[in-house]
């Protein structure tokens, strides 16, 4: 059993990020057995769920003429446009059917405001609007986070970087994650995590 101040944070292991999904991450489903096994060892388990309204501003189709995987300027900075994914209540937004959800103590949803995306489990993409997860973790006495899930270079990396900035000790288990890898994003986000003191372990 891990120490009582350690939490497992399972990021966005949802159908749309798995093979066959709207924003499929290669091998996204391969990480499920390991994640299920990891849950056994933690006294705090949190799952996150990307949870967008149908007209979310991160969807390419919300911006007439814009291509998926291009970037637009939003009031909070640059935003990559994605294929429509993880629409609230859809099958794509559901957890992969093999992910164990019973051991989860908290399921936190993010990206539910139409005008702003939220890659991170802790802050929306303005890096300032909190999701509430920090308060939950601190009030449970959690100081150390182990992160796994999808995608390494987006929601996992943003979560890890925010958590490190808040002073949590953060470990990312890279082999229990899979990446989108858009224009070198995987290498650059692995570098950013290392530089921020995030421990990267297999
Ligand atoms: C994610 C892109 C858009 C992720 C979520 O979970 O990494 N990536 N929405
Ligand atoms: Zn999303």
């Amino acid at each position: 059993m891990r120490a009582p101040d350690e939490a497992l944070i399972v990021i966005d292991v949802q159908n749309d990020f798995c093979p066959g999904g709207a924003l499929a991450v290669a091998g996204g489903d391969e990480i499920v057995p390991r994640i299920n096994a990891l849950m056994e060892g933690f006294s705090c388990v949190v799952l996150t769920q990307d949870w967008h309204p149908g007209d979310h501003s991160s969807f390419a189709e919300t911006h007439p003429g814009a291509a998926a995987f291009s970037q637009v300027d939003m009031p909070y900075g640059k935003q990559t446009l994605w294929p429509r994914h993880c629409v609230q209540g859809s099958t794509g937004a559901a957890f992969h059917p093999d992910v164990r959800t019973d051991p989860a103590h908290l399921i936190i949803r993010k990206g539910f405001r139409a005008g702003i995306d939220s890659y991170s489990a802790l802050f929306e993409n303005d890096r300032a609007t909190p999701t509430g997860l920090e308060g939950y973790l601190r009030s449970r006495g959690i100081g150390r986070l182990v992160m796994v899930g999808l995608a390494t270079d987006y929601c996992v990396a943003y979560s890890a970087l925010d958590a490190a900035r808040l002073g949590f000790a953060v470990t990312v288990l890279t082999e229990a994650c899979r990446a989108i890898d858009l224009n070198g994003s995987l290498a650059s986000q692995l570098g950013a995590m290392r530089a921020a003191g995030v421990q990267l372990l297999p």
Side-chain angles (χ1 to χ4, degrees):
M1 201 71 183
R2 301 276 189 140
D5 70 335
E6 269 191 292
L8 179 68
I9 314 290
V10 180
I11 310 279
D12 297 3
V13 187
Q14 294 165 262
N15 288 322
D16 270 343
F17 299 124
C18 290
L23 180 43
V25 180
D29 55 338
E30 295 168 5
I31 63 178
V32 171
R34 173 139 181 240
I35 290 173
N36 284 340
L38 279 165
M39 289 183 195
E40 300 289 337
F42 284 83
S43 52
C44 178
V45 177
V46 175
L47 308 184
T48 75
Q49 209 169 12
D50 213 36
W51 198 250
H52 300 310
D55 61 347
H56 195 249
S57 56
S58 77
F59 298 164
E61 67 180 38
T62 307
H63 304 260
F69 307 106
S70 66
Q71 288 201 329
V72 289
D73 288 307
M74 295 291 284
Y76 55 84
K78 292 240 179 277
Q79 171 69 48
T80 299
L81 298 181
W82 304 103
R84 196 170 195 262
H85 64 279
C86 295
V87 173
Q88 295 169 4
S90 68
T91 304
F95 291 111
H96 182 286
D98 295 339
V99 174
R100 294 180 61 210
T101 57
D102 289 352
H105 301 159
L106 176 74
I107 297 175
I108 188 144
R109 290 171 169 168
K110 61 187 179 62
F112 50 74
R113 291 190 177 93
I116 182 168
D117 205 359
S118 185
Y119 295 146
S120 167
L122 292 148
F123 294 102
E124 300 193 3
N125 282 10
D126 58 2
R127 312 310 287 265
T129 306
T131 63
L133 179 59
E134 180 191 4
Y136 176 84
L137 295 171
R138 292 215 195 277
S139 62
R140 282 201 56 184
I142 301 293
R144 293 186 280 171
L145 307 178
V146 175
M147 295 190 176
V148 296
L150 304 171
T152 319
D153 43 346
Y154 285 92
C155 290
V156 176
Y158 274 67
S159 299
L161 291 167
D162 280 347
R165 177 164 59 90
L166 290 173
F168 290 95
V170 187
T171 300
V172 171
L173 303 179
T174 55
E175 288 178 13
C177 300
R178 291 292 184 274
I180 295 174
D181 204 10
L182 190 61
N183 305 317
S185 56
L186 178 58
S188 73
Q189 292 289 55
L190 289 173
M193 287 191 277
R194 262 189 217 103
V198 174
Q199 189 175 32
L200 301 177
L201 293 178

